[in-house]
Amino acid sequence: MNYLQRGIRSVTRRKGKSFILFAVIFILGNVIAGAIAIQQSTENVEKKVKKELGATATVDLDYDKLMEENPSGGQVPGGLSEEDIKKIGSSPYVKEYDYSVNGMIQVKNLKTYQMDSENSAFSVGMMQYLQLKGTNLTSPPDFSEKKIDLTDGRMFTQEDLDSDKPVAIISEELAELNGVGVGDQLVLDSNHYSYSSDGTSSEAMKGDDHPVEIIGIFKPKTVEKKKDDNAQNSMNDQIFQTEQFNTLYMPNNAIKAINKQEYETGKRLTPDMYTDDFTEESMNQATPTYILKSPDDVDAFKEETEPLIPEFFKLSASTDQYEQVGSSMKKLSQIAGYVVMIAVGAALVIISLIVVLFLRDRKHEFGIYLSLGEKRNRVLAQVIIELLMISLLAMGISLITGNLLGDVVSNSLLSGDMLAETANNGMNNGMSFVAGANTASTISAEDITNAYAVKFSLSYIITFLAAGMATILASAILPLLYILRLNPKKIMM
């Protein structure tokens, strides 16, 4: 009888000991499989959400740091030069980049989109502003990254970008409020305000009219509101939506021409408002936007670009939204990682000790094999076969039950109080205002939790079987060393 047959018969005849070893491996296998399933699921959610958010990065003024260093205010520091913008744009991680000159016009007769007065205290007495967002590309990043859709008209041409012709793409809401469409002109009736010394009263003064030709109309992807019980998050969504609807996309040169005229008229009408800190150059400060090749490149791009960022500025990425609201997934992934390490360590110790104890009871059996001339490596192979037969059966079943266990446990943790507080803390930081334009979190902790699902995937099967087999084989080292030390003469005496 060869060692393979002996191994099979040994397992079937010693049903009690085989069942004990099977039960231990099955229980530990369930723990390892469940933890691996949870860990892979959280990683898949992160990849999926970051892919949906896109891979864009921009250099913005760090208002928090600026206020911390200079709480009394003062001159706003200069940003990146055009040379630095192009230098960062030459990074191998960058697919395309744009730099935007922004402008803001306070209008009087032109109708702007306002927040619902019933739900927002900010809408009461709020002045009417229009945000001008410049571009140096025929298709601005917001369009190419599918954040907004062009529903009518056309995009910019190279001729539009090279000249200072005032052409713009406006929102459906702004077009509907003012009864205009593609091919019509929208007159931006600028107004300047002079405030009293105590700031309690103001006087409006008529500025310049800026006729703008409408070449396109857009619709933001964030128009559909998500159900959210969080009042602060709902308020942030409304503010962001208002800014987005009141935004005009224009070529950089056109905005520079409008800013120049606004600066000259404003300085003439309200000279007290135009101090040495407020210059035409500061109005035309460009904000770069970099479209990366992949969301996976964000961290490497940040590390490479950080030395070039001026003081009081910061590099922000679209994937930062996940970092703000995805804390529950990170915590769940960390827990799963710790469980895997502890379970693997426990399996190594427990399985090794159990097998050694079982082998001690069979030392006379092994002594007989060796005294009859059986090679020691064949005896070792028999032990490994017995261990693998029981292990493969236990791991095969725990592959399925462990996946179900991971689904139940993770959903329980995500819906419980243990992770809810962490998620809510992330949701409160979902919005920031940057240089007259704001960016709001288009995802919430609820969205991330809903995207989470424990699936029976090929990567899960391969990872679990590789980890399980490595653990089983490693736990066989101690029993094999025990067999190698056996002396058939001493055993048989």
Side-chain angles (χ1 to χ4, degrees):
M1 185 183 298
N2 61 36
Y3 65 92
L4 179 59
Q5 292 173 321
R6 291 200 308 266
I8 296 173
R9 291 193 178 185
S10 176
V11 171
T12 55
R13 287 176 180 174
R14 297 180 175 86
K15 293 182 176 63
K17 292 182 179 179
S18 297
F19 178 77
I20 292 174
L21 184 59
F22 169 85
V24 170
I25 297 175
F26 174 72
I27 294 172
L28 293 172
N30 271 281
V31 177
I32 295 173
I36 289 175
I38 292 173
Q39 197 169 34
Q40 287 199 345
S41 298
T42 55
E43 291 174 357
N44 291 336
V45 168
E46 182 175 356
K47 290 179 181 178
K48 179 183 177 181
V49 171
K50 286 186 175 181
K51 185 177 180 180
E52 291 176 355
L53 289 172
T56 59
T58 183
V59 179
D60 305 315
L61 191 62
D62 190 344
Y63 284 100
D64 292 335
K65 186 177 180 180
L66 184 63
M67 292 302 295
E68 182 181 343
E69 296 287 335
N70 189 13
S72 60
Q75 185 174 2
V76 177
L80 287 170
S81 64
E82 190 171 333
E83 182 181 348
D84 288 334
I85 292 174
K86 293 179 179 179
K87 185 176 181 180
I88 296 174
S90 64
S91 168
Y93 304 111
V94 176
K95 179 176 70 175
E96 187 180 49
Y97 72 96
D98 185 23
Y99 51 95
S100 174
V101 175
N102 296 315
M104 183 175 286
I105 293 184
Q106 192 168 323
V107 295
K108 184 176 182 180
N109 298 323
L110 188 68
K111 296 178 181 178
T112 60
Y113 180 85
Q114 299 293 320
M115 287 186 289
D116 187 356
S117 59
E118 294 181 0
N119 300 325
S120 175
F122 289 102
S123 62
V124 180
M126 190 174 182
M127 293 183 180
Q128 299 188 110
Y129 287 98
L130 286 178
Q131 172 72 27
L132 310 181
K133 189 170 184 178
T135 183
N136 206 45
L137 298 175
T138 55
S139 178
D142 287 350
F143 290 88
S144 59
E145 290 296 294
K146 307 298 182 184
K147 294 179 181 179
I148 56 178
D149 292 327
L150 183 71
T151 58
D152 193 13
R154 64 173 177 86
M155 300 299 294
F156 301 110
T157 64
Q158 192 59 46
E159 182 182 353
D160 293 333
L161 300 175
D162 294 337
S163 67
D164 59 358
K165 183 180 178 182
V167 292
I169 302 175
I170 68 173
S171 68
E172 289 183 347
E173 284 69 23
L174 196 62
E176 184 178 348
L177 284 170
N178 292 278
V180 294
V182 175
D184 295 334
Q185 277 197 342
L186 189 70
V187 179
L188 313 183
D189 56 320
S190 172
N191 274 263
H192 298 264
Y193 284 80
S194 176
Y195 295 90
S196 60
S197 57
D198 56 3
T200 56
S201 61
S202 61
E203 179 187 356
M205 287 176 282
K206 182 71 175 70
D208 298 307
D209 288 340
H210 305 283
V212 174
E213 181 187 351
I214 303 171
I215 63 169
I217 295 176
F218 71 84
K219 179 180 180 180
K221 286 287 185 69
T222 55
V223 170
E224 296 181 3
K225 294 183 180 180
K226 302 172 184 176
K227 293 181 181 180
D228 196 333
D229 295 329
N230 186 284
Q232 181 62 44
N233 196 62
S234 177
M235 177 64 68
N236 287 344
D237 287 343
Q238 287 191 53
I239 297 174
F240 174 69
Q241 188 180 75
T242 302
E243 285 288 320
Q244 205 168 33
F245 289 158
N246 290 329
T247 295
L248 282 71
Y249 289 87
M250 301 180 67
N252 282 333
N253 288 336
I255 294 180
K256 286 180 180 179
I258 292 176
N259 284 346
K260 178 181 176 64
Q261 196 171 352
E262 282 293 292
Y263 179 79
E264 292 174 349
T265 303
K267 194 171 184 179
R268 174 173 53 81
L269 296 176
T270 57
D272 294 340
M273 301 289 294
Y274 288 75
T275 62
D276 294 337
D277 297 333
F278 187 33
T279 63
E280 184 180 339
E281 288 74 19
S282 65
M283 291 180 68
N284 291 326
Q285 184 173 296
T287 301
T289 301
Y290 300 95
I291 303 174
L292 308 185
K293 296 176 180 177
S294 168
D296 298 331
D297 296 333
V298 170
D299 291 337
F301 176 72
K302 281 186 174 182
E303 184 178 353
E304 178 187 83
T305 308
E306 202 64 41
L308 299 175
I309 306 301
E311 189 179 7
F312 301 114
F313 282 79
K314 63 179 179 179
L315 182 65
S316 303
S318 56
T319 53
D320 292 345
Q321 294 181 31
Y322 181 85
E323 308 300 329
Q324 293 173 350
V325 297
S327 52
S328 59
M329 284 296 153
K330 293 178 185 177
K331 190 170 183 179
L332 186 59
S333 180
Q334 287 178 345
I335 293 173
Y338 294 145
V339 171
V340 169
M341 290 187 290
I342 294 172
V344 168
L348 285 171
V349 176
I350 295 172
I351 296 174
S352 295
L353 293 177
I354 290 176
V355 175
V356 168
L357 290 174
F358 288 171
L359 293 182
R360 284 176 64 87
D361 296 337
R362 299 172 60 189
K363 64 179 180 180
H364 284 91
E365 175 191 341
F366 295 136
I368 292 172
Y369 293 152
L370 295 173
S371 63
L372 290 176
E374 182 69 287
K375 294 181 179 179
R376 199 176 292 269
N377 62 343
R378 289 182 178 271
V379 177
L380 296 177
Q382 177 185 335
V383 175
I384 294 175
I385 288 172
E386 294 175 12
L387 184 59
L388 288 178
M389 285 177 60
I390 299 172
S391 301
L392 288 174
L393 179 60
M395 289 172 59
I397 300 174
S398 62
L399 184 68
I400 300 172
T401 56
N403 189 272
L404 298 174
L405 178 66
D407 189 21
V408 172
V409 172
S410 59
N411 286 330
S412 176
L413 287 173
L414 287 172
S415 61
D417 294 332
M418 183 174 141
L419 295 174
E421 183 178 353
T422 307
N424 289 332
N425 289 339
M427 290 175 65
N428 292 331
N429 297 319
M431 188 169 190
S432 60
F433 293 88
V434 179
N438 62 52
T439 58
S441 177
T442 55
I443 58 169
S444 66
E446 183 183 357
D447 295 327
I448 294 177
T449 303
N450 292 337
Y452 175 81
V454 177
K455 297 181 180 179
F456 201 81
S457 62
L458 180 62
S459 61
Y460 159 71
I461 296 173
I462 294 174
T463 304
F464 171 68
L465 291 179
M469 291 304 299
T471 303
I472 296 298
L473 293 175
S475 63
I477 294 175
L478 186 60
L480 294 180
L481 291 175
Y482 172 77
I483 294 176
L484 289 174
R485 293 181 60 191
L486 289 178
N487 189 329
K489 293 182 179 181
K490 291 182 179 180
I491 294 173
M492 302 304 295
M493 286 179 65

